Amino acid sequence: MIECAKNKLYPATGNQTGRPKASIGEGVPVVVDYPAKALRQILESPGIHQGPACFDALSAKLVQRAGFKYCFTSGFSVSAARLGLPDVGFISYGEMADQGRHITEAVSIPVIGDGDNGYGNAMNVKRTVKGFIKAGFAGIILEDQVSPKACGHTQGRKVVSREEAVMRIKAAIDARNESRSDIVIVARTDSRQAVSLEESLWRSRAFADAGADVLFIDALASREEMKALCDISPLLPKMANMLEGGGKTPILTPLELEEIGFKLVSYPLSLIGVSIQAMQDALVAIKGGRLPPPGTMPSFNEIKEIIGFNAYYEEEKRYTSTTSRYQGGSSANTLPAAQFDREQRDESSKDGVVEVITPYVYDEKYRSNESKDPFPGIWSRSLRVKITGKDGLEKLDVRIPAGFLEGFTNIIQGVGGINLKELLDDVTVDVDLDGNVQRGKKLVDFVDTMGDRIEVFLE
């Protein structure tokens, strides 16, 4: 057991996401639930904490890049982005868990998932909580609406009985204990609009007594109502929902919300809303024969940086071999560049080895001294080298800049006495009647001493 927020004891965590294991008590292996632990640290820290609502992995990455400590998922936004449908119960548990898995894998900040009404009775709630734990969520919001549910701040909301609403929270806590997790349970009631303020306050007290970690009444209609929520179990964190664009709850600043007594505040529509507007504006521009105006979208380089291309390239260097080697259908071998180059030249007359010189090797061998480059001015042309074994199976099919010819000419000259450089210098480019250059002109086609057919095309 480990001690967590509010001086309660919760079971040692057990999130099934491959996180480092520890041993507590009688050698029982446990998994440290880092997302939930990070979220509980936020709940225990002073001040109010803002959490924009994401709807996919990219929007979650943007939230993290902006410096927020955590974020929510919005069922409204996920339903809109993933299904193109309103948040009226169409999206399923499986779709939400799957979307959540993509989101939590994309970021390192804790994410609070929208568990709707648990997708059924108390037993369904348990499955939902366990699934959200496995998906990597740090917290889960569970509400007391009937099925099919309705979006908060919209018409037609109905709630289950008091008893069933409390049982859902108890089932969620049981699921957390059984999973040896510490996921944060956010208990939400929609009874303010469905029944009355008094009913929503009664249910919030009952949720607190049942062991909920955070209390949330949706669609509170005034500052006074918001203060009434925060007066319940004052030490228990409260969540506010600032529905942008015209909800029932007054839009207050973080400082004002903190003064009332809130700990968490969500912004459910900002990201999906501005995304919709930006896409509409871009489509209008494109339809009119224009591109989106400067300033309305990041540059290509900025987009690559946000998505992670640059980080990928940096990490890729750790695993990129300086040379690749093909040898008669055997598996590729990797050697230090200098040793590999010597062995390739020594063995070229024996076994028909073809050396593929990568740009990294070319830079090291040639570009450091441009006078060494034997093929100036031909980098705009490319070659296709195809090797087919005597059994008819393809062994190699690569395209390279013509400037990489030295490695190939050394090898092929030793096997068949053919000078690719000379062939390339003498080739005439065929042009059709429309002035288009004809691609795929064959320079070489022969069978080497190993029985492999070697073909070289000018692309």
Side-chain angles (χ1 to χ4, degrees):
M1 305 288 282
I2 56 176
E3 188 171 36
C4 296
K6 303 175 296 179
N7 296 319
K8 289 187 177 181
L9 291 178
Y10 292 105
T13 58
N15 190 311
Q16 306 299 312
T17 55
R19 296 185 175 89
K21 293 185 177 180
S23 181
I24 295 178
E26 299 177 355
V28 179
V30 298
V31 180
V32 180
D33 196 347
Y34 288 114
K37 181 178 180 181
L39 181 57
R40 289 189 180 277
Q41 290 175 344
I42 291 172
L43 291 173
E44 293 169 358
S45 62
I48 190 167
H49 304 285
Q50 299 169 281
C54 66
F55 50 88
D56 60 9
L58 178 57
S59 58
K61 290 184 73 170
L62 292 173
V63 172
Q64 178 171 300
R65 283 173 59 88
F68 290 94
K69 296 179 180 179
Y70 75 104
C71 68
F72 293 90
T73 63
S74 161
F76 182 102
S77 301
V78 172
S79 183
R82 181 166 176 138
L83 304 181
L85 292 173
D87 183 23
V88 291
F90 283 126
I91 199 160
S92 68
Y93 152 75
E95 290 167 320
M96 287 296 291
D98 180 65
Q99 194 82 343
R101 190 175 300 108
H102 291 303
I103 289 170
T104 61
E105 288 177 352
V107 296
S108 58
I109 59 175
V111 182
I112 300 175
D114 188 350
D116 288 331
N117 55 7
Y119 307 98
N121 61 17
M123 295 303 294
N124 294 105
V125 169
K126 291 186 71 173
R127 178 174 184 249
T128 298
V129 171
K130 291 179 179 181
F132 274 40
I133 291 170
K134 292 180 180 178
F137 282 113
I140 180 172
I141 302 174
L142 291 166
E143 60 198 49
D144 56 0
Q145 287 198 57
V146 300
S147 295
K149 60 152 287 180
C151 171
H153 296 255
T154 61
Q155 63 186 17
R157 279 186 293 174
K158 298 178 181 180
V159 293
V160 298
S161 68
R162 288 180 172 183
E163 182 181 15
E164 184 174 349
V166 173
M167 285 302 172
R168 286 182 181 179
I169 301 304
K170 290 183 177 181
I173 294 171
D174 288 343
R176 175 176 67 191
N177 294 342
E178 292 168 10
S179 299
R180 302 177 65 78
S181 170
D182 202 23
I183 189 171
V184 173
I185 307 297
V186 181
R188 162 179 162 170
T189 179
D190 287 75
S191 55
R192 168 64 188 92
Q193 295 300 314
V195 184
S196 66
L197 173 63
E198 290 70 23
E199 180 66 16
S200 66
L201 295 175
W202 188 96
R203 292 188 181 217
S204 296
R205 293 188 190 96
F207 295 158
D209 293 339
D213 299 298
V214 179
L215 299 181
F216 170 30
I217 299 178
D218 195 36
L220 290 170
S222 67
R223 287 174 180 255
E224 292 71 27
E225 293 185 3
M226 299 166 77
K227 182 67 167 59
L229 167 62
C230 292
D231 288 341
I232 297 172
S233 301
L235 297 181
L236 201 64
K238 312 302 189 304
M239 171 182 159
N241 188 32
M242 297 290 96
L243 183 68
E244 310 89 324
K248 297 182 180 299
T249 302
I251 301 298
L252 304 180
T253 67
L255 181 59
E256 291 173 318
L257 291 170
E258 182 181 359
E259 290 175 347
I260 292 174
F262 287 99
K263 176 61 65 174
L264 302 179
V265 53
S266 70
Y267 300 87
L269 297 184
S270 291
L271 296 188
I272 191 70
V274 298
S275 298
I276 291 172
Q277 185 63 57
M279 287 189 283
Q280 288 177 329
D281 292 344
L283 292 170
V284 169
I286 293 170
K287 190 173 182 180
R290 298 172 284 108
L291 292 177
T296 63
M297 62 179 290
S299 67
F300 182 49
N301 285 336
E302 291 171 326
I303 292 174
K304 289 190 297 180
E305 170 64 25
I306 291 169
I307 294 174
F309 277 92
N310 294 337
Y312 172 85
Y313 294 145
E314 285 300 313
E315 185 175 3
E316 184 187 32
K317 291 179 182 179
R318 296 169 51 194
Y319 309 107
T320 302
S321 60
T322 56
T323 54
S324 301
R325 177 177 179 175
Y326 168 81
Q327 183 173 356
S330 63
S331 60
N333 299 309
T334 304
L335 295 172
Q339 179 184 354
F340 178 75
D341 187 57
R342 289 194 304 270
E343 293 191 12
Q344 285 292 80
R345 296 175 186 276
D346 294 340
E347 296 174 3
S348 63
S349 60
K350 303 176 186 178
D351 54 14
V353 176
V354 176
E355 178 185 7
V356 181
I357 305 178
T358 69
Y360 301 103
V361 176
Y362 182 85
D363 286 343
E364 180 181 345
K365 294 173 64 177
Y366 301 127
R367 288 199 180 279
S368 60
N369 185 353
E370 290 296 336
S371 63
K372 294 181 181 180
D373 189 347
F375 311 126
I378 62 174
W379 284 91
S380 60
R381 308 170 77 175
S382 63
L383 297 176
R384 177 187 177 191
V385 180
K386 183 177 180 181
I387 300 179
T388 306
K390 58 184 177 182
D391 56 2
L393 298 178
E394 181 182 287
K395 293 184 175 181
L396 183 69
D397 191 349
V398 297
R399 288 173 173 80
I400 64 163
F404 287 156
L405 265 177
E406 185 187 65
F408 283 100
T409 54
N410 286 335
I411 301 304
I412 295 178
Q413 282 177 336
V415 176
I418 298 174
N419 190 327
L420 269 181
K421 174 61 169 57
E422 183 179 339
L423 288 175
L424 185 60
D425 289 341
D426 295 340
V427 71
T428 58
V429 179
D430 296 330
V431 180
D432 62 20
L433 296 177
D434 296 325
N436 299 316
V437 176
Q438 299 297 297
R439 303 288 182 180
K441 186 177 184 64
K442 185 178 290 188
L443 301 178
V444 172
D445 186 352
F446 70 95
V447 177
D448 68 6
T449 56
M450 302 293 292
D452 293 338
R453 181 182 181 186
I454 299 179
E455 300 171 273
V456 181
F457 305 86
L458 176 63
E459 294 286 84

